[in-house]
Amino acid sequence: IEQRMEQKEGIVSQKRDQIDEKVEKRRRQRDEKLAQKRAEWNSRRQVRYENLRQRAKTDEQKEAVERFIEAVDNAVQTKQRRIDEIIAQFREDADEVLRMHRESYDSVINRFRQAIKEAIEKAIASCQAGDDNSKIRQTLKDDLKRARERFHEDREKMEKIKDVMEPIGQERHNAIHAVIEEFRQEVREAAEQLREAFKEGGEQDEE
């Protein structure tokens, strides 16, 4: 029995290592993808900035373009910083969920191991006392059965990681969505001010 439990614990430990590696790899890939997208967005902004500068003819228009660029750049920096904070918090929460789940599972395993140990020690003591062998075997069998049933019951009571992570993931989604909407509103306001400057200068902004 002890040998089988040690083998199972070895498998569990190996799976945990695999999960940790998978999580780290996925996070690394997402960070790389996000960095790549941000670089692409930055390149497109620089092109648009240059086009706006070329269109600006009067001093007022040129000043308006620089104010627009500054406003957008500030909005982008704020958006990226807040999104990074949201992602970092989500990962911290996810790590905590995983840690607590593993601790709960380890507690269940430890209780099971203790129940098995007590059942075996009880059987050994009965043997040393000269009790009937058939009765000892039956008692041991019953004790082991109860230990296994308790183990399965305890494991079923544990919260599923998916059930805990879903609200955390939804909270992250909502938070990022709110940040993006605030960013878009700031850009719309800056763009409206820019259009007004070009209208006053005698040019209609078509973008």
Side-chain angles (χ1 to χ4, degrees):
I1 296 174
E2 287 288 334
Q3 186 177 7
R4 287 199 301 270
M5 290 187 65
E6 289 177 359
Q7 290 175 346
K8 185 172 180 62
E9 289 177 3
I11 294 173
V12 169
S13 178
Q14 184 178 19
K15 285 184 177 180
R16 287 180 177 181
D17 291 341
Q18 292 173 349
I19 290 173
D20 291 341
E21 291 176 3
K22 185 177 180 180
V23 168
E24 287 301 318
K25 181 179 179 181
R26 186 163 59 240
R27 289 177 178 179
R28 199 162 50 245
Q29 290 174 338
R30 288 178 177 176
D31 288 344
E32 291 172 355
K33 185 176 180 180
L34 179 58
Q36 181 180 356
K37 283 184 174 296
R38 285 179 175 179
E40 293 172 355
W41 294 332
N42 182 63
S43 296
R44 287 198 292 268
R45 280 199 311 277
Q46 297 308 316
V47 172
R48 176 169 171 76
Y49 291 165
E50 186 59 31
N51 290 338
L52 288 172
R53 287 186 172 113
Q54 291 178 3
R55 286 176 53 184
K57 304 303 180 184
T58 67
D59 290 341
E60 290 77 7
Q61 289 175 348
K62 292 177 181 179
E63 291 175 1
V65 167
E66 296 307 319
R67 287 196 299 271
F68 172 77
I69 292 173
E70 182 179 5
V72 172
D73 282 345
N74 289 338
V76 168
Q77 292 176 9
T78 300
K79 180 192 70 170
Q80 292 180 352
R81 174 181 55 78
R82 292 178 64 188
I83 287 178
D84 288 343
E85 291 172 353
I86 292 169
I87 292 174
Q89 184 62 54
F90 170 77
R91 291 178 177 178
E92 182 178 331
D93 292 342
D95 289 342
E96 180 65 10
V97 168
L98 186 58
R99 184 189 66 79
M100 292 181 65
H101 184 271
R102 289 177 175 178
E103 283 187 357
S104 296
Y105 184 79
D106 289 342
S107 295
V108 170
I109 287 291
N110 289 335
R111 284 195 296 269
F112 180 55
R113 289 181 67 96
Q114 184 62 29
I116 295 296
K117 179 182 178 182
E118 291 175 358
I120 293 174
E121 290 177 348
K122 179 181 176 182
I124 292 173
S126 296
C127 287
Q128 292 174 344
D131 293 343
D132 181 68
N133 287 337
S134 61
K135 182 180 179 181
I136 294 173
R137 283 194 296 271
Q138 185 60 48
T139 300
L140 177 60
K141 182 179 179 181
D142 293 342
D143 289 343
L144 294 177
K145 180 181 178 182
R146 280 193 294 271
R148 285 192 292 268
E149 289 174 348
R150 173 68 185 279
F151 169 71
H152 290 301
E153 289 174 1
D154 289 345
R155 193 168 60 176
E156 286 298 319
K157 291 177 183 177
M158 290 176 56
E159 285 188 296
K160 303 295 187 293
I161 291 181
K162 180 181 178 182
D163 294 338
V164 182
M165 286 301 302
E166 280 183 356
I168 296 176
Q170 187 61 46
E171 183 179 352
R172 176 194 60 174
H173 172 79
N174 293 341
I176 290 178
H177 179 74
V179 168
I180 292 175
E181 284 303 311
E182 289 181 20
F183 165 75
R184 289 173 176 170
Q185 181 60 31
E186 291 178 7
V187 172
R188 281 193 292 266
E189 292 174 359
E192 181 60 29
Q193 294 176 7
L194 180 64
R195 279 192 290 269
E196 290 299 322
F198 272 81
K199 287 179 182 178
E200 293 172 1
E203 180 179 347
Q204 179 71 32
D205 186 5
E206 297 178 353
E207 295 187 18

